[in-house]
């Protein structure tokens, strides 16, 4: 079966040393669940657990990646699982501020349904309730982000707490938190669970995954799909590992397929019936696919933008998901199949009636060809000094066959969604539903840690790079010589502006962007990399883009491309509302009245690009 995410790293681990402290026991029990890699930052509140990790690391039984900030630790723990490195991610953070810092990355796990266990420090038990330094109510703090939270008060809780946290994290694909007071973590302990009242015995064996749904439900779903003449598929990250089965089902139905952003790797972008990303940052072809289909099959996706699904009442729908609570969440469905995507699709395939009609796929291929032409025109558009979309598109001819991509939130996300074509042998990820800035460098670190033999590319805006990227380059400088393949290419789209937010101000509010909130300092990112002993170059001319990518992916060390790009390059949704267009025009007029220096760039890049799709839709609207 074709793999659509990196295979889980097996690692050559030794046995965890004989535990003597509570911290040792936590590490030893986590190892039984396959947790061997930790991302974290030390502090006295979590010192006992850190000591246990250190002893296991020296014995070759664990790995610790010390990052520069606890938010990075949590993001990297999430990404480690997304990139197939660990079955359960693990971050380790100290009490008080450490626990607070980690929350953003942990919400990334909760919203994207990724199993993570957070080991959280706490003040010593005698100090609890005394307003001691760094004392916070960590249990209350974590109860929203985590499905299971426990604050240990006795060594005898360790086995049950770790087992339940891991089992829950895997079963619900979510965050679980174990809070360890500092005195308890370092306490000597020989754990026992006597067969007595008040003690609970437990197992470190994971539960089996759900297989295929019952035959009756499969037949019901097949009847809906077989009745369709214009079938569309929406594939998300839940379809990972099911590329072969999904392709076979699509071919049987003569279907076209759009992909949610986290599922971009699931189907080969080069196929004529694969329309690429869907949603606000998606392609026009994906939008047309949904607007004209009469049947929809959703596989492993809860893509949130309702306006990019088929209009209500237009299409009959079937959904496949591991979690029945996610079925029918975004669009009305007739049949909901709860099960593993690959097994469910394989069981569904023999029940499908072969659809030899090629007219539908021909229409899809035409939409895709039109999209490709528009994409090339956008990338060729003049800019001052460099077109950011062209820089990202310039990666394509240099993209290694086994590349892993880490993408930040912002304009980089838009260009990645539209301009990077992936095959199932490649893999890209980002902070999906949380859409947090600052995730790309932690994700890239986790990808390289989990797969040190594979090249990694990070696509980052300057806003995100200034949040934590410049600091995590220090971690890169510390770690990279342990990687089998040293290639980590980091593209910084340096436009001195929070440009995604700036476009939202123009298009949604119709306001003039305020430089006090939107502008950013121009940081010499490549020089900073060089100062840390890494490599880098600054790109200020379009003709230098290709050479920069070639150098970055041929380098024998991590490489930063500081691309000075035009902030006036518009991000145009595949379906632009009249209100958005008018508000953008209004912003341009106001900007001109107030001497906004960006107005010439806006005119050059084309407010008309925003208005034209609306005018075209009006001109071609059916009459009567």
């Amino acid at each position: 079966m074709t793999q659509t995410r990196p295979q889980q790293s097996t690692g050559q681990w030794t046995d965890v040393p004989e535990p003597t402290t509570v911290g040792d026991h936590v590490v030893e029990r986590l190892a039984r669940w396959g947790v061997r890699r930790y991302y974290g930052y030390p502090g006295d509140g979590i010192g006992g657990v850190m000591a246990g990790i250190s002893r296991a690391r020296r014995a070759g039984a664990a790995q610790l990646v010390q990052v520069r900030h606890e938010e990075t630790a949590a993001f990297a723990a999430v990404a480690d699982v997304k990139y197939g490195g660990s079955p359960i991610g693990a971050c380790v953070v100290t009490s008080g501020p450490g626990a607070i810092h980690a929350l953003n990355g942990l919400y990334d796990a909760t919203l994207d349904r990724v199993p993570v266990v957070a080991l959280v420090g706490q003040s010593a038990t005698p100090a609890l309730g005394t307003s001691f330094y760094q004392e916070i109510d960590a249990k209350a703090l974590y109860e929203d982000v985590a499905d299971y939270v426990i604050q240990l008060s006795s060594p005898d809780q360790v086995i049950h707490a770790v087992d339940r946290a891991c089992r829950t994290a895997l079963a619900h694909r979510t965050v679980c938190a174990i809070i360890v007071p500092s005195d308890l973590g370092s306490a000597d302990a020989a754990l026992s669970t006597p067969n007595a009242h008040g003690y609970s015995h437990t197992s470190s064996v994971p539960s089996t995954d759900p297989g295929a749904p019952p035959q009756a439900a499969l037949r019901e779903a097949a009847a809906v799909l077989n009745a369709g003449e214009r079938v569309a598929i929406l594939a998300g990250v839940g379809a990972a590992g099911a590329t072969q089965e999904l392709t076979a089902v699509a071919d049987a139905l003569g279907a076209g397929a759009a992909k949610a952003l986290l599922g971009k790797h699931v189907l080969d972008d080069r196929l004529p019936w694969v329309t690429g990303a869907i949603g606000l940052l998606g392609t026009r072809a994906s939008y047309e696919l949904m607007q004209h289909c009469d049947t929809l099959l959703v596989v492993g996706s809860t893509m949130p933008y309702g306006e990019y699904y088929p209009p209500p009442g237009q299409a009959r729908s079937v959904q496949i998901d591991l979690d029945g609570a996610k079925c029918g969440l975004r669009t009305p469905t007739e049949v909901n199949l709860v099960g593993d995507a690959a097994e469910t699709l394989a069981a569904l395939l023999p029940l499908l009636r072969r659809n030899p009609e090629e007219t539908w796929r021909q229409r899809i291929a035409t939409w895709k060809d039109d999209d490709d032409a528009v994409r090339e025109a956008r990338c060729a558009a003049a800019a001052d000094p460099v077109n950011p979309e062209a820089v990202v598109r310039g990666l394509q001819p240099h993209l290694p066959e086994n590349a892993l991509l880490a993408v930040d939130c912002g304009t980089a996300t838009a260009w990645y969604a539209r301009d990077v074509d992936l095959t199932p042998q490649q893999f890209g990820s980002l902070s999906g539903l949380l859409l947090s800035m600052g995730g790309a460098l932690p994700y890239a670190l986790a990808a390289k840690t989990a797969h040190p033999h594979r090249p990694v590319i990070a696509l980052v805006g300057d806003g995100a790079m200034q949040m934590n990227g410049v600091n995590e380059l220090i971690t890169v400088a510390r770690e990279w010589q342990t990687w089998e393949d040293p290639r980590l290419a980091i593209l910084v789209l340096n436009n001195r502006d929070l440009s995604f937010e700036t476009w939202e101000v123009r298009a949604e509010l119709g306001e003039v962007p305020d430089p006090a909130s939107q502008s950013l300092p121009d940081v010499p990112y490549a020089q900073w990399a060089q100062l840390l002993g890494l490599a880098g170059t600054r790109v200020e001319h379009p003709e230098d883009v290709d050479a920069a990518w070639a150098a970055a992916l041929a380098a024998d060390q991590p490489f930063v491309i500081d691309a000075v790009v035009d902030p006036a390059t518009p991000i145009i949704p595949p379906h632009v509302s009249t209100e958005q267009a008018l508000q953008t025009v209004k912003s341009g007029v106001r900007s001109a009245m107030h001497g906004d220096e960006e107005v010439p760039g806006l005119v050059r890049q084309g407010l008309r690009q925003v208005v034209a799709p609306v005018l075209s839709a009006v001109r071609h609207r059916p009459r009567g």
Side-chain angles (χ1 to χ4, degrees):
M1 182 174 67
T2 303
Q3 292 293 322
T4 60
R5 73 164 71 222
Q7 293 204 12
Q8 192 179 107
S9 300
T10 54
Q12 298 300 313
W13 304 107
T14 63
D15 292 334
V16 176
E18 188 69 26
T20 60
T21 69
V22 167
D24 291 335
H25 281 288
V26 169
V27 174
E28 189 276 334
R29 198 70 181 183
L30 283 168
R32 299 192 186 198
W33 288 89
V35 179
R36 299 281 193 160
R37 187 177 297 116
Y38 300 85
Y39 299 89
Y41 202 82
D44 61 346
I46 198 67
V49 174
M50 274 291 190
I53 294 171
S54 295
R55 282 189 282 272
R57 185 190 66 79
R58 288 192 292 269
Q63 182 179 9
L64 173 66
V65 179
Q66 183 211 79
V67 295
R68 312 274 63 78
H69 194 280
E70 289 91 355
E71 180 183 76
T72 294
F75 269 133
V78 180
D80 196 295
V81 180
K82 286 186 175 183
Y83 289 100
S86 300
I88 304 170
C91 67
V92 53
V93 299
T94 194
S95 54
I100 296 167
H101 285 163
L103 284 173
N104 192 52
L106 294 175
Y107 272 103
D108 184 35
T110 293
L111 295 182
D112 282 357
R113 302 160 71 188
V114 177
V116 171
V117 171
L119 302 176
V120 182
Q122 179 58 290
S123 301
T125 49
L128 295 177
T130 68
S131 299
F132 199 61
Y133 78 93
Q134 292 191 339
E135 181 192 352
I136 62 170
D137 189 345
K139 190 171 188 294
L141 183 71
Y142 272 71
E143 281 179 343
D144 182 58
V145 74
D147 240 29
Y148 171 71
V149 186
I150 184 171
Q151 181 165 299
L152 301 182
S153 57
S154 164
D156 289 334
Q157 294 174 285
V158 168
I159 294 175
H160 191 281
V162 172
D163 285 353
R164 185 171 179 186
C166 291
R167 184 177 296 108
T168 303
L170 285 172
H172 296 174
R173 292 175 291 160
T174 189
V175 173
C176 293
I178 301 173
I179 303 166
V180 186
S182 59
D183 57 326
L184 192 64
S186 57
D188 291 337
L191 303 187
S192 62
T193 52
N195 192 25
H197 182 70
Y199 287 87
S200 183
H201 298 271
T202 181
S203 167
S204 60
V205 177
S207 303
T208 60
D209 291 328
Q215 277 294 312
L218 291 166
R219 286 194 294 270
E220 187 180 358
V224 173
L225 296 171
N226 286 334
E229 296 180 353
R230 302 184 306 278
V231 181
I233 294 172
L234 171 57
V237 70
T243 294
Q244 181 175 308
E245 294 81 1
L246 188 59
T247 301
V249 166
D251 286 339
L253 295 169
K259 301 180 290 185
L261 196 54
L262 287 178
K264 185 173 173 63
H265 59 282
V266 169
L267 290 168
D268 194 327
D269 278 310
R270 298 170 300 182
L271 294 170
W273 50 270
V274 176
T275 58
I278 192 172
L280 184 65
L281 305 180
T283 67
R284 182 77 188 187
S286 291
Y287 177 74
E288 297 290 354
L289 177 71
M290 294 297 158
Q291 291 298 302
H292 293 89
C293 70
D294 63 11
T295 309
L296 175 64
L297 172 61
V298 182
V299 184
S301 174
T302 55
M303 191 274 296
Y305 298 115
E307 66 270 33
Y308 292 96
Y309 287 91
Q314 172 185 293
R316 304 175 70 186
S317 299
V318 173
Q319 187 162 355
I320 299 171
D321 203 287
L322 274 173
D323 184 353
K326 303 299 182 183
C327 291
L329 184 66
R330 306 298 188 195
T331 189
T333 50
E334 285 190 45
V335 184
N336 295 319
L337 301 176
V338 178
D340 173 78
E343 292 189 41
T344 301
L345 290 166
L348 187 61
L349 184 61
L351 305 176
L352 299 179
R353 173 175 53 81
R354 300 281 163 172
N355 185 355
E357 177 58 58
E358 288 297 319
T359 304
W360 176 234
R361 277 197 165 178
Q362 288 169 3
R363 292 176 67 187
I364 295 167
T366 298
W367 291 329
K368 183 169 182 176
D369 288 344
D370 291 345
D371 250 351
D372 288 343
V374 170
R375 176 170 64 178
E376 294 304 321
R378 286 199 312 259
C379 290
D384 183 17
V386 181
N387 184 328
E389 190 167 7
V391 177
V392 175
R393 184 63 180 165
L395 166 64
Q396 196 67 51
H398 301 280
L399 192 62
E401 292 181 358
N402 63 338
L404 304 174
L405 287 87
V407 186
D408 225 297
C409 176
T411 55
T413 319
W415 312 139
Y416 163 73
R418 296 178 181 178
D419 295 301
V420 178
D421 295 333
L422 295 184
T423 71
Q425 288 71 44
Q426 297 160 338
F427 186 90
S429 195
L430 68 156
S431 174
L433 277 178
L434 187 62
L435 286 174
S436 175
M437 291 175 64
L441 261 292
Y443 271 51
L445 277 166
K448 287 301 299 188
T449 303
H451 301 282
H453 60 288
R454 295 181 67 169
V456 173
I457 297 99
L459 307 177
V460 193
D462 50 0
M465 194 66 183
Q466 290 181 21
M467 274 191 173
N468 58 10
V470 290
N471 290 327
E472 293 309 332
L473 276 182
I474 300 172
T475 311
V476 171
R478 174 187 173 112
E479 297 287 332
W480 76 267
Q481 294 190 48
T482 66
W483 302 335
E484 181 181 337
D485 183 330
R487 289 178 294 172
L488 170 57
I490 301 166
L491 169 66
V492 183
L493 295 172
N494 180 3
N495 58 19
R496 296 79 60 206
D497 185 78
L498 294 171
S499 53
F500 200 99
E501 297 302 319
T502 295
W503 279 106
E504 289 181 332
V505 169
R506 289 188 175 111
E508 295 181 8
L509 303 179
E511 296 292 336
V512 178
D514 182 0
S517 67
Q518 300 304 117
S519 65
L520 294 170
D522 185 5
V523 174
Y525 304 102
Q527 290 182 33
W528 170 235
Q530 292 165 358
L531 184 64
L532 294 173
L534 308 175
T537 189
R538 188 173 173 98
V539 173
E540 297 179 295
H541 305 284
E543 57 270 23
D544 296 334
V545 170
D546 188 70
W549 278 121
L553 288 163
D556 59 359
Q557 61 188 128
F559 194 106
V560 172
I561 300 174
D562 178 3
V564 184
V565 297
D566 195 336
T569 301
I571 304 169
I572 305 169
H575 173 60
V576 183
S577 71
T578 303
E579 180 65 18
Q580 284 176 307
L582 291 176
Q583 292 287 20
T584 303
V585 172
K586 184 169 65 174
S587 174
V589 172
R590 289 182 182 177
S591 298
M593 291 173 62
H594 291 83
D596 185 349
E597 62 184 21
E598 292 297 326
V599 168
L602 290 172
V603 174
R604 180 185 62 254
Q605 294 290 5
L607 286 173
R608 287 175 298 175
Q609 292 185 58
V610 181
V611 180
V614 179
L615 298 179
S616 176
V618 172
R619 284 196 302 269
H620 295 93
R621 183 177 298 153
R623 299 295 190 263

